[in-house]
Amino acid sequence: MRKHYATIKDIANALNVSFATVSRALRDAHDVKAETRELVLAKAAELNYRPNLNAKGLAQHRSYNLGVVLPGITNYYFSTVITGIQEVAYNSGYNLILYVTNDSAERERDMIRNLALSSLDGLLVCVSSDSDDGSGFQAMIDDGVPVVFFDRVAEQVNTSKVVQDDYNGAFEATEHLVQNGYRKIAHIAGPEGLTFTRNRLKGYKDALKKHGLPLKQEWIIYSGFSQEHGEQDAAMLWQCRSRPDAIFAVNDRKAVGAMLALKKLGVQVGRQVGVVGFTNDPVASIISPSLTTIAEPAFEIGKISCQLLLNHIKKKRFDPKEVVLPGKLIVRESSLKV
């Protein structure tokens, strides 16, 4: 049998006070004397009282559940974002419900269509690589469900968004390669339709333009985000008539894949071909040679996006905000020629 937990009524009867007094004391209302509140809290602990969130939610027309839609949970970036989200949600009395799309737009659409919106107070979303126009999320917002995007966003949906500074991070990564003597720099990009793919590509292109270096379309390859994609992309680059002497990868997993492919081809990473990633995944400091990268503020992205969602929940007319957080260049061995 399930364990019985005390109710507000049990506490009131034990202290011979009113139900309303106990309720106000537990809410730390201003009109309850300090000594009364201390008595109520002590008795609540003694009787093993736990608040009934379902009852509280019904009274306040809230579920105290937040949904989080994201492509996956196994990589460092998303697990760190979730940790940041969880910290804010927990401190605000909310539970999280995760919806993992496996980076599939079709699965994402099915999830949106079948979400039990009455059991969610709001939704945090990182869209899949081949996500459509975001109309499903806009429809949810139009129906009164707050939605906040993080990392990969539906650009045309009018709501709050929290992202890292993709353009400046890519510009700094590419310029770092230039400053270390590399002149033929390729870019293994993400899926072509994503906003941050375009922003990182633009940063890469503008850095080359600033330094008067060649931009070859055959040195720009669009694909997914996995290590396997990185290996395939690097192999394709080595089939080009003119081979690059450096690679800027859209994320660390692709950068690691490129490094492994180069090693198989007998190419010395760093000394012969520079490689820079984007994320600062723990593997970046473990692989040999260690990987130069742009560190993303994943934990802060999680915290800020969750706080923005709570603001949308509390204030129905809360104006959408777009927050852009800077990254940081972490220099390691993969981009050094000596």
Side-chain angles (χ1 to χ4, degrees):
M1 293 181 64
R2 295 183 65 178
K3 188 175 181 179
H4 170 72
Y5 293 104
T7 65
I8 290 178
K9 185 177 181 181
D10 294 330
I11 298 171
N13 290 337
L15 294 175
N16 197 27
V17 297
S18 70
F19 181 96
T21 297
V22 174
S23 179
R24 292 199 305 275
L26 292 172
R27 288 187 282 111
D28 197 18
H30 70 278
D31 57 348
V32 177
K33 294 180 181 179
E35 54 268 30
T36 301
R37 182 172 184 274
E38 289 176 8
L39 284 172
V40 169
L41 292 178
K43 183 58 68 173
E46 178 189 332
L47 296 177
N48 200 25
Y49 167 76
R50 293 187 182 183
N52 186 332
L53 292 179
N54 288 331
K56 182 180 178 183
L58 286 171
Q60 298 181 0
H61 304 289
R62 291 184 183 174
S63 67
Y64 287 89
N65 292 324
L66 303 178
V68 184
V69 177
L70 73 173
I73 57 175
T74 57
N75 72 61
Y76 165 79
Y77 177 82
F78 288 125
S79 63
T80 306
V81 170
I82 291 170
T83 303
I85 292 171
Q86 187 177 40
E87 179 172 297
V88 173
Y90 175 80
N91 289 335
S92 302
Y94 282 81
N95 300 308
L96 297 181
I97 301 175
L98 298 184
Y99 300 92
V100 182
T101 66
N102 285 344
D103 213 16
S104 163
E106 181 179 0
R107 183 171 294 190
E108 181 180 283
R109 286 191 294 271
D110 288 342
M111 283 182 176
I112 297 167
R113 194 179 302 117
N114 297 315
L115 277 178
L117 297 180
S118 61
S119 66
L120 297 174
D121 291 340
L123 203 62
L124 290 159
V125 180
C126 175
V127 300
S128 61
S129 298
D130 52 351
S131 188
D132 56 15
D133 61 359
S135 57
F137 295 114
Q138 186 62 60
M140 293 173 66
I141 294 170
D142 294 341
D143 286 342
V145 179
V147 175
V148 170
F149 291 102
F150 64 91
D151 188 46
R152 306 185 203 167
V153 306
E155 199 169 13
Q156 64 281 9
V157 178
N158 183 32
T159 190
S160 292
K161 303 175 177 75
V162 184
V163 297
Q164 55 278 329
D165 192 340
D166 296 306
Y167 172 83
N168 282 311
F171 187 98
E172 188 174 8
T174 307
E175 187 167 61
H176 167 75
L177 287 166
V178 176
Q179 291 169 344
N180 279 272
Y182 302 99
R183 292 293 179 267
K184 299 186 292 183
I185 304 169
H187 179 39
I188 51 176
E192 199 164 358
L194 287 176
T195 302
F196 83 61
T197 296
R198 293 194 297 270
N199 290 338
R200 293 182 190 182
L201 177 63
K202 189 174 189 309
Y204 156 79
K205 287 182 175 180
D206 285 355
L208 294 183
K209 183 178 179 180
K210 174 185 174 181
H211 294 278
L213 294 177
L215 173 65
K216 293 181 179 288
Q217 284 303 128
E218 63 181 354
W219 290 350
I220 300 173
I221 299 177
Y222 300 95
S223 68
F225 295 106
S226 70
Q227 179 177 307
E228 291 74 19
H229 284 119
E231 292 188 57
Q232 293 165 11
D233 292 356
M236 287 178 63
L237 288 172
W238 251 246
Q239 293 173 8
C240 295
R241 181 175 300 177
S242 175
R243 294 173 180 171
D245 66 0
I247 297 172
F248 164 50
V250 73
N251 68 4
D252 285 350
R253 285 174 293 158
K254 291 191 74 167
V256 168
M259 290 171 66
L260 294 175
L262 291 173
K263 288 180 181 180
K264 291 177 183 176
L265 292 165
V267 177
Q268 291 181 301
V269 175
R271 187 177 297 276
Q272 292 177 286
V273 176
V275 179
V276 176
F278 207 118
T279 302
N280 199 30
D281 190 292
V283 72
S285 61
I286 297 171
I287 192 170
S288 180
S290 55
L291 175 64
T292 295
T293 187
I294 299 292
E296 295 181 280
F299 184 74
E300 288 74 18
I301 286 172
K303 288 181 64 176
I304 293 170
S305 60
C306 189
Q307 188 57 62
L308 281 173
L309 181 61
L310 295 180
N311 292 343
H312 279 284
I313 291 169
K314 293 170 186 174
K315 301 177 183 178
K316 294 302 180 184
R317 294 188 179 181
F318 182 77
D319 292 332
K321 298 184 183 299
E322 184 160 348
V323 180
V324 181
L325 300 177
K328 180 182 179 182
L329 177 67
I330 307 294
V331 178
R332 299 192 178 100
E333 298 164 338
S334 68
S335 61
L336 304 176
K337 285 195 169 186
V338 291

